[in-house]
Amino acid sequence: MRHFLSLKDYEKSEILEILSLARDIKRDLKANKSTRPLAGKSLAMIFEKSSTRTRVSFEVGAAQLGMRPIFLSSRDIQLGRGEPMKDTARVISRMVDMVMIRTFAHSRLEEFAAYSSAPVINGLSDDFHPAQLMADYMTMRELGCGDRPIVAWVGDGNNMANSWLMLASKMGFELRVAAPKGYEIAQKWVELAKDFALKSGAKLYFYNDPIKAVQDANVVATDVWTSMGREEENEKRLKDFGGFGVTSELMSRADRKAILLHCLPAHRGEEITDEAFESHADSIFLEAENRLHAQKGVMVWLSDAQKRQS
Ligand code: CP
Ligand code: NVA
């Protein structure tokens, strides 16, 4: 059974299929043409971390496709009181048709998927945020960044950075990652991405200097310096990330038409200045909206994949 845990498990052609579904779904929604391809089905949404965008976009997206979304906070379900992931998976997946999970260790998601009889979607783990990346890719295509853009990642080597690395190495575009020393992307993901790049032709560069990464880039992307679950490191990170904030000055080194992406929530005055944020608010909020459309593409694709297999 296919799950959607990381783009590392997806072929370029499959990512393009999802994107194409998402585009059609968005077009139909904007034209008020309602199609409910997943009518009568249900989606369990398990959250072990906070969320605004992921919760709303999956809940509304599932409903628009005809599914019944069920929001399950780990604070309320037995999982939060220590019921094992593998038991939770075997119970919930017998009752619903698809499961979205936001959790800590990526291995928790993999464990759930291994025991689940329904497709599982990653709604963010410590390692990856692939649903966000589908929206980011959709946004940069809509904004005319081309098939082979130069993307600069400025900031933490976190779940978002890992996900950009997977997307770039699968799709074959240029990614330049700038992270402070000690916060680089884990070597195992770099090695994996280099393998993928042999096939796709992606160019991958790693720096400790944001200016080098951003020079003439078509897309600049960033994210918070302290991800969920790492709050106790916040003070140290604020010091260690000095000079890594995205400012208008940094953006002026990118291509004249460069877009700025931020998965949100943003911490103004840390990874991004208010001025840089507000002058690129159009791309950032289009990116947020595209979560809805891109994830509907993912859900329809997974359901189709299941039908093909049965
Ligand atoms: N970008 C994102 O996943 O936002 P939330 O944490 O609000 O879901
Ligand atoms: N890297 C951030 C992304 C939030 C959407 C986190 O994991 O908290």
Side-chain angles (χ1 to χ4, degrees):
M1 171 176 341
R2 293 301 296 272
H3 302 287
F4 188 75
L5 305 188
S6 168
L7 295 179
K8 71 181 169 60
D9 311 324
Y10 276 71
E11 297 298 329
K12 175 176 181 175
S13 59
E14 295 173 330
I15 295 171
L16 290 173
E17 280 167 22
I18 295 173
L19 196 72
S20 163
L21 281 169
R23 255 195 247 119
D24 292 349
I25 286 168
K26 180 172 182 178
R27 187 200 52 221
D28 287 351
L29 184 74
K30 299 280 175 190
N32 278 327
K33 264 198 253 165
S34 134
T35 53
R36 292 161 57 85
L38 305 184
K41 297 187 183 291
S42 43
L43 170 77
M45 310 189 304
I46 300 176
F47 283 87
E48 296 196 289
K49 290 176 176 167
S50 305
S51 168
T52 298
R53 282 143 287 270
T54 304
R55 177 175 176 182
V56 176
S57 55
F58 270 106
E59 193 157 339
V60 170
Q64 287 175 350
L65 293 173
M67 294 179 112
R68 178 194 166 103
I70 306 163
F71 172 72
L72 301 166
S73 159
S74 60
R75 275 191 292 272
D76 305 321
I77 60 174
Q78 299 290 5
L79 184 67
R81 296 179 62 247
E83 183 166 15
M85 209 57 164
K86 57 186 180 183
D87 294 354
T88 309
R90 282 177 284 187
V91 172
I92 291 182
S93 67
R94 280 173 180 254
M95 299 178 186
V96 303
D97 302 280
M98 226 173 263
V99 183
M100 184 240 87
I101 307 178
R102 165 166 287 199
T103 188
F104 293 87
H106 194 70
S107 56
R108 281 178 74 68
L109 202 56
E110 289 173 333
E111 186 185 359
F112 192 106
Y115 284 91
S116 174
S117 54
V120 178
I121 300 172
N122 182 357
L124 182 145
S125 68
D126 287 347
D127 285 341
F128 295 110
H129 197 2
Q132 177 73 53
L133 261 288
M134 290 307 301
D136 292 12
Y137 194 47
M138 184 174 185
T139 306
M140 62 196 229
R141 305 265 301 215
E142 281 180 7
L143 294 179
C145 298
D147 279 346
R148 299 216 166 229
I150 299 174
V151 178
W153 173 264
V154 179
D156 193 15
N158 63 10
N159 45 10
M160 279 298 297
N162 296 342
S163 303
W164 272 106
L165 189 57
M166 294 306 137
L167 182 74
S169 62
K170 289 286 181 159
M171 304 314 290
F173 60 79
E174 179 167 336
L175 178 70
R176 305 170 187 165
V177 179
K181 285 205 167 61
Y183 296 92
E184 294 97 342
I185 291 182
Q187 208 49 36
K188 65 174 173 180
W189 303 133
V190 172
E191 295 308 323
L192 186 63
K194 282 185 181 164
D195 268 0
F196 296 150
L198 292 177
K199 184 173 170 197
S200 70
K203 292 184 183 148
L204 309 172
Y205 301 100
F206 302 91
Y207 307 102
N208 297 115
D209 177 358
I211 293 173
K212 280 195 188 140
V214 162
Q215 204 63 48
D216 302 319
N218 306 106
V219 178
V220 177
T222 190
D223 182 20
V224 292
W225 292 339
T226 304
S227 286
M228 288 180 279
R230 298 190 166 270
E231 287 77 5
E232 76 288 354
E233 299 170 17
N234 190 44
E235 219 168 303
K236 176 165 166 40
R237 284 172 172 263
L238 285 180
K239 287 193 205 108
D240 293 347
F241 279 79
F244 274 78
V246 175
T247 60
S248 297
E249 202 280 318
L250 189 68
M251 287 304 294
S252 72
R253 295 171 187 264
D255 182 78
R256 199 171 44 84
K257 294 193 196 140
I259 65 163
L260 177 55
L261 296 179
H262 191 312
C263 63
L264 302 175
H267 290 200
R268 288 168 170 81
E270 295 183 14
E271 80 278 1
I272 195 164
T273 60
D274 183 59
E275 187 185 48
F277 184 105
E278 293 301 337
S279 55
H280 293 88
D282 287 353
S283 55
I284 293 171
F285 290 109
L286 178 62
E287 176 189 10
E289 178 192 324
N290 280 338
R291 293 291 302 280
L292 172 70
H293 313 299
Q295 290 159 191
K296 285 166 76 180
V298 171
M299 290 188 275
V300 171
W301 191 92
L302 283 173
S303 168
D304 288 349
Q306 223 183 354
K307 277 186 223 146
R308 281 197 294 273
Q309 269 150 16
S310 57

